[in-house]
Amino acid sequence: MRQTIHRLAGRDSALREVLHVLAIWIKGRIVIWLSVTGLYLVGFAVARSPLWPLLAVLCGFVEALPHFGAILGLLLVLAFSVIGGNGETWVVLAALAVWVLVQALEIFVIGPRVLGRKLGLSPWLVLLGGIAGGLIAGPIGILVATPIMAAGAVIWRRTSRRPLAK
């Protein structure tokens, strides 16, 4: 029993490595959040959206919530554009185009590449894992799919190194 506890809490433990991977995942999410916020800043400035700095920061902030953040961001974009743009169609369409482009970049490029690179997983695996997590457990599944895969990869690497018991 004592050796098991020592192995779990020791220097070279699986638990320590899993916790390290989870810390890397959190840092990766922060990088994604900052990247998306920066893209919103540039995009809304180019599109001349009303109150673009505030809109960009708010849209970036709500991105922390899976699924609901994207929906809240869309509602913010529409509200700011309709109210601040005096109902002009081109203002609404330009802001909506920025939102769609940033969402597509985050889902298909930024998220899988940043998390995949930092966690040592294939970007395709991150993308497909997020989709599977969403299908299985909804928004929470999307959020936890990548860290679960990364922790599973740690456990797989540690168990596959050991010789088979005879």
Side-chain angles (χ1 to χ4, degrees), residues 88-120:
E88 290 188 37
T89 307
W90 74 270
V91 173
V92 176
L93 291 177
L96 191 57
V98 169
W99 180 83
V100 168
L101 180 64
V102 171
Q103 286 297 306
L105 284 172
E106 182 204 357
I107 292 168
F108 296 111
V109 179
I110 299 169
R113 288 214 174 161
V114 168
L115 291 178
R117 188 172 294 137
K118 287 189 172 291
L119 296 173

Side-chain angles (χ1 to χ4, degrees), residues 7-160:
R7 238 183 304 144
L8 284 175
R11 267 188 174 168
D12 192 37
S13 72
L15 179 62
R16 193 177 288 266
E17 192 173 346
V18 167
L19 291 174
H20 178 70
V21 165
L22 293 178
I24 291 171
W25 175 77
I26 290 170
K27 290 176 187 174
R29 291 299 309 164
I30 291 169
V31 167
I32 292 168
W33 176 69
L34 291 173
S35 300
V36 167
T37 303
L39 288 172
Y40 277 133
L41 281 166
V42 171
F44 290 143
V46 169
R48 292 192 232 148
S49 296
L51 298 171
W52 63 269
L54 178 63
L55 178 60
V57 170
L58 288 175
C59 284
F61 183 72
V62 298
E63 280 295 319
L65 304 169
H67 276 324
F68 299 114
I71 293 167
L72 287 173
L74 176 60
L75 293 175
L76 285 168
V77 166
L78 292 174
F80 273 62
S81 300
V82 169
I83 294 168
N86 297 325
E88 290 188 37
T89 307
W90 74 270
V91 173
V92 176
L93 291 177
L96 191 57
V98 169
W99 180 83
V100 168
L101 180 64
V102 171
Q103 286 297 306
L105 284 172
E106 182 204 357
I107 292 168
F108 296 111
V109 179
I110 299 169
R113 288 214 174 161
V114 168
L115 291 178
R117 188 172 294 137
K118 287 189 172 291
L119 296 173
L121 300 172
S122 163
W124 285 104
L125 187 61
V126 173
L127 178 64
L128 294 175
I131 292 169
L135 290 173
I136 294 168
I140 300 300
I142 293 172
L143 184 64
V144 299
T146 304
I148 288 173
M149 286 188 310
V154 167
I155 293 168
W156 176 263
R157 280 193 303 268
R158 289 187 153 268
T159 56
S160 66

